[in-house]
Structures are given as structure tokens and as C-alpha cells.
Amino acid sequence: MHIRCERIELAEVKPVLAAHVLTLASPVDSYFEDHLLQSRPYRILVDGEVAGWTAVHNQSLLTHFSLTAPFRHFGQRVFAQVRKLEQVREAYVPTCDEFLLAHALDDYRLLEKQAYFFQARPNAQRPPAPPGLTHRLARTDDLARMTTLTGDFFDRVEWRVADGQITVAEQEGEITGFGVLERSTLYPAAASIGMITVEAHRGQGVGTAIIGALLDECERQQLTAIAGCWYYNHFSKQTLERAGMYTQTRLLKVSY
């Protein structure tokens, strides 16, 4: 059996990736989605036939591996070849992707817990927002203050503000936090949400209220809300849970 991987353009594999994420047991957030879309994609050929696809981020991180049904029984042999691409030493593996998870765990050196992926809990009750807290879209004239208060928390911040992704939480005229709602590139009707609370206002329910407002906005726009946080950011996890989200999926980093 001859296995070969050939470089292709993202435009060719993007419909495949969009169809793939819809088969997963849980949604993945924009952090993983960005890594996937910024990866170098390959078509997998077995004896000259298209058997599946894979992708490598920054030369060393595997972000995707899938085979079509007629070729899945070759999975272990194909995955061993895929690991020889570029300088692959690690893989990002959402636990909801059973096929990738199974093969990534066959022969690993180190397994690290990277992140939680969250989704909305239907009809969840959330605590009342702090009195007087309001939410509005961020404006260009917020940029300097946003950078002062949050540092480099937001990437591409000017573009995000111009695109209407960032919200500002205020209380008595003072900025207390920021939210972000980013439409998915791969899911047809989903968005990743997140927040940051200004340090002086933490522990007062501001973050929970921001996530709650973003969940309401997703509901208004008929979007599936997705969120993620670093596995060891316990405060963010608690905030998301208080706001009415739950997690059943982890992002793992598997090293070889």
C-alpha cells in the first residue's frame, strides 16, 4: 500500500473541514478553529485514491486528521505517515473528535490538558447582573482605553471593533469589562463568545453578566454560542458556568 500526502490550498479543504466539524459530538471554539484554518492542509492519497485530509500548524502541530469511510481501517498506518510530515511533534486533539483522538493516543509521549470547550445550557438560571451595569458596542474611540485596561488580551483589536465583535460593559460611566462575539467561519450559525473584566471590578459578577448578555445576543441572532478557556483558568471556567454554560469537551495537546 502506497500512502502519500500532497499539499493543497485551504479553499479546497475548507468545505471538508466545515462538514467535519458538524459531525463532532460537541462544537469547537474560535481558538481551535483559528489554528485549524491557519494550518497547512494536505490531501491524503492511498494507492492514488483520495483517502482523507490532514493539516499542520506552524510546521510542528497536527490539527486535523480524517479519512473517508472506505479507508478508515487503514487509520493507524496512515496516521504514522502523517506524523512524518514537516516537523510534526505535537497534535491538538478535541476530545469530541473520536477518530483523531483514538489515533493520537496510540503512541504518545506526553498528554497535556489545554482547554475547555463550553456550550450553552438550555433554560439555565443565572445570577442577577450588578446594579446599573449596561452593555454597548465598542467604538473606535474606546481603543486606547481598551488597550490600557486589557493589554494584549484582544488580537486584531481594531478590526474586531470595526466588525462589531466587541462590547463594552459600563457601570456609572466607568468601563468594567469587555465582551467578544465572533461569528464562526466553519459552523453555519455559531459564534464564540468570551469576556475580560477590568481588574478593579473582578469578583463582583461583571464577567458573568457579560457572558449572559452575549448568550442573550446569540439567542437573538439564532446563533449557537460556544466558549473556551485555558484548562487552568479556574476563574474563567467558574464565570462561564455561572452564566449558564457547561463543558463536556476538552482540547488536549498530545506530544510525540
Side-chain angles (χ1 to χ4, degrees), residues 72-131:
R72 285 180 191 150
H73 60 294
F74 296 133
Q76 288 180 312
R77 295 167 67 179
V78 176
F79 192 75
Q81 289 299 114
V82 163
R83 280 182 48 198
K84 297 176 182 178
L85 285 170
E86 301 191 23
Q87 301 168 36
V88 169
R89 298 185 299 273
E90 300 170 328
Y92 261 177
V93 185
T95 56
C96 56
D97 190 337
E98 183 182 358
F99 190 76
L100 173 56
L101 177 64
H103 290 84
L105 293 180
D106 275 336
D107 180 27
Y108 71 92
R109 178 179 58 84
L110 178 67
L111 187 151
E112 298 171 89
K113 292 167 284 192
Q114 184 74 22
Y116 290 103
F117 293 152
F118 288 81
Q119 51 194 306
R121 184 159 46 91
N123 304 313
Q125 297 295 312
R126 62 179 82 117

Side-chain angles (χ1 to χ4, degrees), residues 24-29 31-32 91-98 100-101 105 111-119 227-232 234 237 241 245-254:
L24 303 182
S26 300
V28 295
D29 78 343
Y31 173 83
F32 179 74
Y92 261 177
V93 185
T95 56
C96 56
D97 190 337
E98 183 182 358
L100 173 56
L101 177 64
L105 293 180
L111 187 151
E112 298 171 89
K113 292 167 284 192
Q114 184 74 22
Y116 290 103
F117 293 152
F118 288 81
Q119 51 194 306
C229 73
W230 185 48
Y231 190 86
Y232 299 99
H234 305 299
K237 179 177 182 288
E241 290 173 337
M245 304 194 80
Y246 74 99
T247 174
Q248 65 180 28
T249 303
R250 313 290 184 261
L251 178 63
L252 306 177
K253 185 165 73 171
V254 180

